[in-house]
Amino acid sequence: MTRILMVCLGNICRSPLAEGILRSKVDQEVIFIDSAGTGGYHVGELPDRRSIAVARKYGLDITDQRCRKFTVRDFDEFDLIYVMDNSNRRDVLSLARTNEDTEKVKMILNELFPNENVDVPDPYYGGEFGFESVYEMLEKACAIIAKKLHS
Ligand code: 4NP
């Protein structure tokens, strides 16, 4: 079983979409996907209604997800940790204990733009267009990740 964690700040906008999109593209018998946030502001909550809406528009239901906070134990539980932006990466890496932990952490848009460390913009304070463009970026990145996982 390969275990993959998607991480953003709030775990209500970007990483729940990344989790839902990647889940829809892989064999869940062999790949486990979860998400978490580096901040603890929304623990226990559903994804943001705008993420739920854009996912639904593309045929995905992400309402089974509940927000949780990233913890150092996630380095033991997961094989790969995809962060949405540079700030998430700093926060996650600040908890890494070993090189092995550090090597698990990847910027998700480096799948599309290798080594460029491009952020998935935080859509929380923006309008609906933000969620649509975030969805499109994550869809492209997750297609590449899914292809790699099953090759
Ligand atoms: P996310 O967006 O990191 O994509 O889930 C955010 C959601 C909530 C907050 C920040 C970012 N917040 O500060 O509450």
Side-chain angles (χ1 to χ4, degrees):
M1 192 91 173
T2 304
R3 298 174 66 89
I4 297 178
L5 185 66
M6 300 295 189
V7 175
C8 63
L9 172 60
N11 189 213
I12 56 169
C13 298
R14 292 166 293 176
S15 60
L17 282 175
E19 176 185 337
I21 293 167
L22 190 58
R23 269 195 195 173
S24 74
K25 294 183 182 300
V26 300
D27 178 355
Q28 293 187 61
E29 298 280 319
V30 291
I31 296 170
F32 175 77
I33 302 154
D34 192 14
S35 64
T38 56
Y41 323 111
H42 299 277
V43 169
E45 293 179 19
L46 279 163
D48 186 282
R49 62 179 171 74
R50 296 163 294 178
S51 282
I52 291 173
V54 76
R56 185 169 291 141
K57 178 179 157 188
Y58 288 98
L60 300 181
D61 181 1
I62 60 168
T63 59
D64 58 326
Q65 297 185 37
R66 295 295 178 276
C67 175
R68 75 170 179 88
K69 193 166 192 278
F70 179 84
T71 77
V72 71
R73 285 188 302 280
D74 288 315
F75 286 115
D76 302 321
E77 301 287 331
F78 292 91
D79 303 297
L80 281 169
I81 299 170
Y82 284 105
V83 294
M84 301 296 128
D85 66 27
N86 282 280
S87 166
N88 308 150
R89 181 163 69 162
R90 279 191 295 277
D91 290 341
V92 168
L93 288 179
S94 74
L95 297 174
R97 304 152 299 182
T98 61
N99 279 346
E100 196 186 344
D101 288 354
T102 300
E103 283 163 11
K104 290 180 179 183
V105 182
K106 315 273 182 209
M107 295 278 291
I108 195 163
L109 290 187
N110 279 356
E111 299 295 326
L112 281 176
F113 311 111
N115 304 315
E116 290 190 28
N117 296 332
V118 177
D119 290 342
V120 179
D122 187 343
Y124 186 61
Y125 295 106
E128 301 297 325
F129 177 73
F131 284 77
E132 181 72 37
S133 56
V134 162
Y135 188 96
E136 287 167 13
M137 288 175 212
L138 292 175
E139 163 68 30
K140 289 184 187 137
C142 288
I144 296 169
I145 295 169
K147 208 167 166 184
K148 281 186 187 168
L149 288 169
H150 287 308
S151 64

